[in-house]
Amino acid sequence: MRTQATFTTGAGVDLTGPSVSAFTPPHNTSGVAVNVQPQITFNEAIDPLTVPGNVVLRLTATGVLIPVS
């Protein structure tokens, strides 16, 4: 018995990493409540299995780490 299958692959390997496309609160916003949960949106999905270790956010001015999930 012979079986045949046909399929089409995508356009190729994606060699460009994701980049930030939006974030809230906006840059340089003042008076943000302490209970606001900042959000970062990337221009493409990120496979959590491909992220080597934990994602880290750090305040540029002080170097203080910001907890993320």
Side-chain angles (χ1 to χ4, degrees), residues 40-59:
I40 300 172
T41 304
F42 294 93
N43 65 339
E44 60 184 68
I46 297 175
D47 181 351
L49 299 176
T50 64
V51 178
N54 294 326
V55 173
V56 176
L57 293 180
R58 185 182 309 266
L59 288 175

Side-chain angles (χ1 to χ4, degrees), residues 18-41:
S19 61
V20 174
S21 59
F23 51 89
T24 58
H27 183 61
N28 286 331
T29 301
S30 61
V32 177
V34 296
N35 62 345
V36 167
Q37 294 182 3
Q39 296 181 353
I40 300 172
T41 304

Side-chain angles (χ1 to χ4, degrees), residues 1-23:
M1 180 176 180
R2 182 176 172 187
T3 303
Q4 181 176 343
T6 304
F7 62 91
T8 304
T9 61
V13 177
D14 180 2
L15 299 176
T16 305
S19 61
V20 174
S21 59
F23 51 89

